[in-house]
Amino acid sequence: MKTFEELKAKYPRLIPRRFGFQCEIGWIGILDAYFEIVDRELPEGSDYKLRQVKEKLGSLRIYDSSYGEPLLSVRAVADAHALAEARSLHTCEYCGQRGRFRKRRGYLTVTCDDHAFMNGAMAIPEVPEPRDYRQTADGWVVYDPDLDAFVPSEPPEWA
C-alpha cells in the first residue's frame, strides 16, 4: 500500500471517503495494521468514528471512538491503538523504514538517516530516545521495536 487513497479503499467502513490524513506516507503500514485489527474486531454495524489521524510531537496520533462494543473488541482495538502509536516512534514518517526520534529546527520528527536532512536542515537524534511506557494492571510495560511488542519493564524514572 502506497497511498492514503488505497488505505481508504481497503477500509471503506472505517475511513470516510473525504477523510484527510495529517501525517506523512511512511506511516501507512502502521495505519494499515491498525485498521486491519479494527476492521476484524468490530462487528458489522458498529458505531466507529475516525476523527483525526495526525503527527503530533513526533509520533502518530489516532483519534477515534467506538461505543457499545463487546469488551473483547474494545480491548483488541485499544491494544492495536497503543501499538500503532509506539511503532511510530521508531518508523520514518517519510518512507516507513526504521527511524530515530529527532529534532529539526525545534520540530520533533522520526526519520531514517536518508530523510534526516530535509528542507535545508538536519534533524538531530534526541538523546535519550523517548520510550513508550504504559502502566497496566500487572505493572509497567515498554515498547521494544526489535520485538515489535510491549514487554515488562521497571517503572520509568518519571513515574
Side-chain angles (χ1 to χ4, degrees):
M1 185 160 317
K2 298 177 182 163
T3 70
F4 289 118
E5 292 306 314
E6 291 172 326
L7 191 66
K8 289 179 197 179
K10 187 172 180 181
Y11 303 104
R13 80 179 184 121
L14 302 177
I15 307 171
R17 201 174 51 117
R18 301 189 124 188
F19 187 80
F21 291 86
Q22 299 169 318
C23 63
E24 299 293 337
I25 62 170
W27 287 343
I28 285 179
I30 294 170
L31 291 167
D32 185 27
Y34 171 71
F35 287 120
E36 180 179 347
I37 291 170
V38 174
D39 197 40
R40 180 185 70 225
E41 294 294 329
L42 292 182
E44 283 297 320
S46 64
D47 186 17
Y48 176 82
K49 296 209 183 337
L50 182 63
R51 301 189 191 294
Q52 190 175 36
V53 175
K54 68 180 185 175
E55 176 276 326
K56 182 176 180 180
L57 299 175
S59 67
L60 180 64
R61 299 289 198 275
I62 302 168
Y63 300 101
D64 59 4
S65 59
S66 61
Y67 302 100
E69 302 306 327
L71 182 59
L72 291 176
S73 294
V74 172
R75 172 59 30 216
V77 170
D79 290 347
H81 190 270
L83 193 57
E85 290 186 353
R87 285 174 172 155
S88 73
L89 285 171
H90 304 277
T91 304
C92 177
E93 59 187 296
Y94 298 99
C95 70
Q97 298 299 312
R98 183 79 177 255
R100 292 193 61 192
F101 195 81
R102 304 171 193 255
K103 188 183 288 185
R104 178 188 298 117
R105 293 184 177 151
Y107 176 76
L108 299 172
T109 184
V110 180
T111 69
C112 63
D113 289 341
D114 291 342
H115 290 107
F117 186 82
M118 294 182 76
N119 303 320
M122 178 63 80
I124 307 301
E126 288 287 284
V127 179
E129 280 193 272
R131 307 281 310 269
D132 194 331
Y133 287 94
R134 307 236 172 195
Q135 190 170 19
T136 69
D138 299 324
W140 287 89
V141 294
V142 65
Y143 178 73
D144 183 327
D146 295 324
L147 297 176
D148 190 32
F150 284 94
V151 297
S153 169
E154 294 296 319
E157 292 178 10
W158 47 264

